[in-house]
Amino acid sequence: MERLFATEKAGGRALYKLHAVTVFAGICLVLYYRATHVPAAGAGRAAWLGMLAVELWFGFYWVITQAVRWCPLRRRAFKDRLAARYGDRLPCVDILVCTADPQSEPPSLVMATVLSLMAYNYPPEKLNVYLSDDGGSILTFYALWETSAFAKRWLPFCRRYNIEPRSPAAYFAESDEPDDPRALEEWSFVKDLYDEMTERIDSAVKSGKVPEEMKVNHKGFSEWNTGGTSKDHQPIVQILIDGKDRGAVDNDGNVLPTLVYMAREKRPQYHHNFKAGAMNALIRVSSVISKSPIIMNVDCDMYSNNSDSIREALCFFLDEEMGHKIAFVQYPQNYNNMTKNNIYGNSLNAINQVELAGMDTWGGPLYIGTGCFHRRETLCGRSFNKDYKEDWDQGIKTQQRIDQTEEKAKSLATCTYEHNTQWGNEIGLKYGCPVEDVITGLAIHCRGWESVYNNPPRAAFVGVAPTTMAQTILQHKRWSEGNFSIFLSKYCPFFFGHGKIRLPHQMGYCIYGLWAPNSLPTLYYVLIPSLGLLKGTPLFPEIMSPWITPFIYVTVVKNIYSLYEALTSGDTLGGWWNGQRMWLVKRITSYLYGVIDNIRKLLGLSKMGFVISPKVSDEDESKRYEQEIMEFGTSSPEYVIIATIALLNLVCLVGGLGQILTSGQNMLLNGLLLQVVLCGLLVIINIPIYEAMFLRKDRGRIPFSVTLASVGFVMMALFVPIF
Ligand SMILES: *[C@@H]1O[C@H](CO)[C@@H](O)[C@H](O)[C@H]1NC(C)=O
Ligand SMILES: CC(=O)N[C@H]1CO[C@H](CO)[C@@H](O)[C@@H]1O
C-alpha cells in the first residue's frame, strides 16, 4: 500500500561528516596545545588554565550539537492519498488554545487566531475549538462571543473563495481586492463586518466594559455577576457553539465547529501551574464535550497559515506502516514580524530547518508547546505498545443537555480536582518547570513513542516575534532557564533517557539544556583575552608557531559553516551577522540569568517566576523595529552587562594596540595577534551598541545611567589584578 508520507535524508552528508571530523581533530589539537604549553607560574598561568577549561567546554558542547547535524530528515505528507483513502472519514480533532490575559494578549489578536482555526479545511462537525482564558476576563468571553457570530459569515467566505491564510487579520492585511465585482462586493462586506467587530472588541477592552444589552441578553455573561477577580473566581465553561446541535449552522447552512470558552477556577491559596495547568484543565474539559482522539495545541498569537495542516498531520498518524508509533507531530514556530535582516536574531531558522529535523532522525523533535498535534492517549500517559490499536472513531456521541455538559466540565476545572491524582505528573503536561512542554515531550519519548517533525515549505503556523531587545532577552531567559532546570533535575536527558532513548537523541535534548551554562565560558572568552591584550599577556600561540593553525582552522570553518547553515535556512548575510551579535548578547544576559536563577533555586533562594512577554509595543518602538534599530530605552541591569562588555573591548583594543605600536616591538605583536583579532571582531560586532550609547538621540538609545554604570565597571575591571 502506498505510504501516506515520505522520509528523505538531507543531502551532502558525506561532505558534512568529513568537515566535522577535521573540525574535531582541530579541537583536539587546540586542547593538546593548551594542555602542553601552560606557562610557568606567574603572569598568565591562571588565565591560561581558564582558557583550557573554557575551550574544553566549547569542544564538548560542539560535539553535543553534532548529534542533530549528522543526518537530518525531511518529511513530506501526501494529503491527496489521505483524501483518496479516507475521504471525510477522518478522526475528530480538539484544538486547544491558551490565552493569559487581555492586556498582554489583545483579544482581537486572539480572535483572529481562533477564526483561522475554526476555518480549517476539515469536516466542521469533527472540529472543536477550546479557548482557555487564564485572565478569567469577561472581555475575552465577550470577544469570543462576537467571534462565534462572525464565524457564520467568515467560514462560508473562506470556503467559497478558498482563501489563505484564514486569519481575517492576516488575510485582509495581505490580500488585494478581488477583480470580480461580485466577489469584491462580498469581500468588502466581510471586511467591513470584521473591522466593525474588531473595533467593538478593542473599545470594550479599552473601556474595560462589555455593552450592557449584551450582558442582559446572553446568559453566559451572568458568570461575571459574582464579583470574582482574575485571581479569584469560580470555574467557567461556556459552550458558545455546540457542533452537535443541528441548529448551529453558518450562513450557508453548514454545521459549525464546536466553540468552547473555559476559565478554570482560580483561588489565591492554590497554585495554578501557569500554562501547563490551563492545558491540563482543557484536556479534561474537552474529554466530556468532544473527547477527540487528536489534540492540537497552539499559542493564541499563532494563527493557522495553511488550512490543510490538520490533514497533513493526519497523514502521519494514519500511515499504515509507521503511524502506530507516532505520539505527536510537531510543526515549526514561524514568525511574520521579522524584519529583513532580523535584528534580534529571532528567526529560529537554524533550529527549525536543521536542529529539529536532525532530532527527527533519532526518535523525533521536542514538543515545543505550540503548533503540535498529539494523540490524546499519549498525552494522558499511555506507554507505547505495538499491539495497541487507536480507535480513531472515538468521540462523544451522546446527546446530553448542554447545561449538564457544562456543569460536568466545570467540575473538572476546579482548583482541587487534581489533588491526589497523577495530573501534572504522569498524566497531562508536567508541572514545575518553565518549559513544561519540553519535559512532557521527553517523558513521551521515554515511554517508547516517536514523534515526527513536519516542516512544509509553506509555514503552517505564524506567530509574532519579539520586537524589542527586552522581549528577546526575556524569551531566551525563559527558554534557557527552563531547559537548564530540566538538565539539573531528575529529568536530565542523559539519566532519565538512559536505556529508553538513544544517545544522540539525549544529546539533541541537551543542546537546549546546556544553553544556559554556555554563558560563563562565553563571558570568559570575551573578557580575559581582551584584558590580556591590554596588559600584554599572550594567551594564544605566536603568529609564526604552527600551533596557530588549528585555532584559525576551527574558528574559520565553524563560522563559514554557520554562515552556510544560515543562508540555506533562509537568512540573509546581514541576518546572519545580526544573529552573531544576538548570540553574544543572549549568552551574556539571558543565559547568564538562566544559570543564576537555577542556582538560586537550587539553594532555595527564590521561587520560580514566570513572566509573560508582552505582545504589544508602542508606535515609536515599532518604527525603530522596522528600521532595524536596536531598542534599549530602559535602565535594566542586562543592558549594563552588554554595554560594559562592549566598552571594555573597545578600551582594550585601543589601549592594547597603542602599547604595541608605541613599544615598537614586533615580538609583542607576534604573541598578541590573535587577541587583537578577537578583540577587534568583538568591537566590530558591537558597533550598534556604541551607537546606542554615544550617538543616538531617540528614546530607544541606551540610557545615560547605563552608560555611566558601564564606564564604572570598565574602570574597575582595568584595576583588578588578574594578571
Ligand atoms: C503564509 O502562507 C502564504 C501563502 O498563503 C505564504 O506566501 C507565506 O509566506 C506564509 N507566511 C509565512 C510567514 O511563512
Ligand atoms: C506586535 C507587532 O509588532 N505587530 C506588527 C507585526 O507586523 C505587522 C505587519 O508587518 C504589523 O502591522 C503589526 O503591527
Side-chain angles (χ1 to χ4, degrees):
M1 195 183 260
E2 270 186 314
R3 299 287 301 271
L4 292 179
F5 71 91
T7 303
E8 292 149 14
K9 288 209 166 96
R13 284 305 98 181
L15 198 62
Y16 180 83
K17 289 174 189 175
L18 184 68
H19 133 270
V21 168
T22 62
V23 171
F24 183 71
I27 292 175
C28 292
L29 286 175
V30 164
L31 294 175
Y32 179 78
Y33 168 80
R34 279 279 178 228
T36 51
H37 288 71
V38 184
R45 188 177 169 88
W48 187 281
L49 289 174
M51 293 295 280
L52 171 62
V54 164
E55 281 157 0
L56 253 174
W57 171 267
F58 284 149
F60 165 74
Y61 189 73
W62 178 86
V63 170
I64 294 274
T65 62
Q66 293 313 299
V68 294
R69 289 178 168 75
W70 208 241
C71 46
L73 295 182
R74 300 260 172 279
R75 311 274 191 181
R76 208 145 48 90
F78 301 115
K79 56 180 195 281
D80 300 342
R81 292 183 192 167
L82 181 84
R85 205 167 300 166
Y86 290 93
D88 273 352
R89 286 174 296 116
L90 296 166
C92 295
V93 178
D94 288 348
I95 302 181
L96 312 186
V97 186
C98 300
T99 181
D101 68 76
Q103 267 62 50
S104 58
E105 297 170 331
S108 48
L109 190 85
V110 179
M111 295 311 139
T113 303
V114 168
L115 283 162
S116 76
L117 302 171
M118 291 175 78
Y120 267 119
N121 171 21
Y122 203 74
E125 67 278 9
K126 299 196 166 168
L127 212 51
N128 310 279
V129 180
Y130 293 83
L131 179 71
S132 155
D133 173 22
D134 259 357
S137 165
I138 192 169
L139 301 167
T140 306
F141 179 69
Y142 164 66
L144 196 65
W145 197 91
E146 287 275 4
T147 299
S148 69
F150 178 69
K152 295 181 183 170
R153 277 278 173 190
W154 180 244
L155 269 47
F157 178 72
C158 291
R159 277 194 211 105
R160 187 144 49 243
Y161 300 100
N162 201 14
I163 62 160
E164 292 286 353
R166 294 189 175 182
S167 147
Y171 173 72
F172 289 122
E174 286 169 20
S175 79
D176 300 322
E177 298 186 0
D179 296 328
D180 175 43
R182 283 214 18 237
L184 178 61
E185 196 181 324
E186 188 169 1
W187 189 91
S188 313
F189 180 72
V190 174
K191 183 171 189 304
D192 288 345
L193 270 187
Y194 178 67
D195 289 343
E196 284 161 27
M197 177 186 83
T198 312
E199 217 175 286
R200 283 197 299 279
I201 295 176
D202 287 344
S203 69
V205 171
K206 211 161 171 196
S207 67
K209 282 211 247 344
V210 166
E212 261 328 299
E213 79 273 9
M214 193 63 91
K215 275 178 156 167
V216 277
N217 288 340
H218 306 285
K219 72 161 181 51
F221 290 94
S222 63
E223 293 278 6
W224 280 269
N225 292 344
T226 53
T229 65
S230 67
K231 295 195 172 63
D232 190 2
H233 63 82
Q234 79 284 13
I236 303 170
V237 176
Q238 288 286 324
I239 303 178
L240 289 156
I241 302 176
D242 180 8
K244 289 192 285 290
D245 170 9
R246 293 292 127 196
V249 291
D250 64 25
N251 283 10
D252 281 1
N254 293 310
V255 187
L256 284 164
T258 298
L259 183 64
V260 179
Y261 172 92
M262 179 201 81
R264 61 197 165 119
E265 184 183 18
K266 288 276 181 70
R267 300 294 175 201
Q269 67 269 36
Y270 294 111
H271 190 52
H272 58 77
N273 291 305
F274 310 105
K275 189 177 149 196
M279 277 291 290
N280 284 346
L282 276 183
I283 294 173
R284 289 194 299 273
V285 163
S286 64
S287 76
V288 293
I289 297 175
S290 48
K291 202 173 191 205
S292 306
I294 300 279
I295 288 180
M296 174 189 142
N297 135 243
V298 65
D299 279 351
C300 66
D301 64 332
M302 262 180 108
Y303 64 86
S304 151
N305 193 47
N306 182 348
S307 61
D308 280 326
S309 301
I310 300 185
R311 289 173 186 267
E312 276 187 14
L314 287 175
C315 290
F316 298 97
F317 287 116
L318 296 181
D319 181 69
E320 282 77 7
E321 214 168 295
M322 277 278 293
H324 67 287
K325 294 185 194 162
I326 296 171
F328 61 91
V329 176
Q330 178 67 59
Y331 283 80
Q333 183 164 7
N334 291 292
Y335 296 129
N336 67 347
N337 267 65
M338 310 300 295
T339 51
K340 180 161 161 283
N341 290 320
N342 197 3
I343 179 94
Y344 298 117
N346 272 323
S347 71
L348 305 181
N349 277 340
I351 294 181
N352 285 348
Q353 307 293 338
V354 183
E355 298 189 348
L356 289 176
M359 293 277 281
D360 212 352
T361 317
W362 307 114
L366 329 99
Y367 166 39
I368 57 176
T370 181
C372 191
F373 291 79
H374 280 274
R375 280 172 198 264
R376 178 181 288 272
E377 287 282 311
T378 40
L379 211 46
C380 293
R382 179 180 285 280
S383 295
F384 174 69
N385 173 343
K386 65 179 174 12
D387 299 323
Y388 171 68
K389 270 252 164 296
E390 184 82 53
D391 173 15
W392 292 118
D393 295 328
Q394 80 168 286
I396 290 187
K397 307 238 159 41
T398 59
Q399 291 285 352
Q400 201 177 24
R401 284 212 351 255
I402 195 166
D403 48 349
Q404 284 174 337
T405 312
E406 283 176 357
E407 282 312 312
K408 200 164 155 197
K410 279 181 200 172
S411 71
L412 301 176
T414 60
C415 289
T416 50
Y417 181 85
E418 294 179 347
H419 289 182
N420 303 318
T421 69
Q422 287 296 319
W423 282 95
N425 189 14
E426 292 298 312
I427 311 180
L429 272 78
K430 287 189 188 290
Y431 294 154
C433 172
V435 288
E436 67 288 334
D437 27 37
V438 174
I439 206 166
T440 304
L442 175 65
I444 291 174
H445 283 139
C446 288
R447 287 202 300 266
W449 295 93
E450 290 180 11
S451 60
V452 157
Y453 181 58
N454 190 29
N455 183 13
R458 179 166 124 209
F461 298 98
V462 176
V464 182
T467 54
T468 65
M469 189 70 136
Q471 288 171 8
T472 308
I473 289 178
L474 187 67
Q475 185 183 58
H476 282 266
K477 170 181 176 275
R478 188 173 84 85
W479 286 348
S480 65
E481 181 192 340
N483 281 301
F484 188 40
S485 79
I486 296 179
F487 187 83
L488 295 176
S489 73
K490 67 175 176 177
Y491 293 107
C492 173
F494 285 133
F495 299 110
F496 187 65
H498 182 72
K500 300 186 192 121
I501 59 176
R502 294 205 267 173
L503 182 64
H505 206 190
Q506 298 166 17
M507 287 161 72
Y509 268 101
C510 287
I511 291 181
Y512 311 102
L514 295 177
W515 264 357
N518 267 310
S519 56
L520 300 175
T522 305
L523 267 176
Y524 191 91
Y525 229 84
V526 297
L527 282 176
I528 301 302
S530 305
L531 284 171
L533 171 63
L534 188 67
K535 313 244 159 146
T537 313
L539 290 172
F540 288 96
E542 284 186 11
I543 182 146
M544 299 310 286
S545 154
W547 286 107
I548 203 167
T549 325
F551 280 90
I552 293 181
Y553 181 80
V554 170
T555 314
V556 170
V557 170
K558 199 177 165 300
N559 280 296
I560 290 179
Y561 175 73
S562 112
L563 175 62
Y564 165 82
E565 200 169 75
L567 293 180
T568 50
S569 307
D571 278 334
T572 57
L573 183 62
W576 173 76
W577 180 247
N578 289 334
Q580 298 302 104
R581 180 179 316 112
M582 284 309 295
W583 178 93
L584 178 63
V585 165
K586 282 179 219 161
R587 285 185 168 205
I588 61 180
T589 58
S590 311
Y591 295 3
L592 181 66
Y593 283 27
V595 170
I596 293 173
D597 265 15
N598 268 298
I599 293 175
R600 287 179 64 97
K601 212 161 60 185
L602 284 182
L603 299 177
L605 286 180
S606 71
K607 275 187 84 155
M608 194 181 76
F610 196 108
V611 199
I612 299 143
S613 7
K615 305 228 159 69
V616 274
S617 36
D618 78 29
E619 207 164 288
D620 262 17
E621 265 176 48
S622 305
K623 209 150 128 212
R624 282 193 287 275
Y625 177 61
E626 268 152 42
Q627 295 169 339
E628 306 207 303
I629 299 174
M630 283 197 157
E631 181 72 34
F632 297 92
T634 56
S635 325
S636 332
E638 54 270 25
Y639 299 158
V640 177
I641 304 179
I642 297 170
T644 304
I645 300 281
L647 203 56
L648 185 77
N649 275 284
L650 186 61
V651 170
C652 290
L653 184 70
V654 173
L657 275 181
Q659 281 174 22
I660 292 171
L661 295 180
T662 50
S663 75
Q665 293 172 349
N666 279 347
M667 277 249 318
L668 207 52
L669 183 62
N670 279 350
L672 292 171
L673 188 72
L674 278 193
Q675 270 151 283
V676 173
V677 172
L678 177 61
C679 193
L681 281 174
L682 285 167
V683 168
I684 295 173
I685 208 158
N686 276 319
I687 287 175
I689 313 286
Y690 307 127
E691 282 173 3
M693 287 164 87
F694 301 117
L695 301 179
R696 279 166 54 185
K697 297 271 176 290
D698 55 78
R699 277 200 303 137
R701 70 196 299 268
I702 291 184
F704 183 65
S705 55
V706 171
T707 308
L708 207 60
S710 67
V711 170
F713 280 115
V714 168
M715 306 261 260
M716 264 164 60
L718 295 182
F719 291 114
V720 172
I722 323 177
F723 295 101

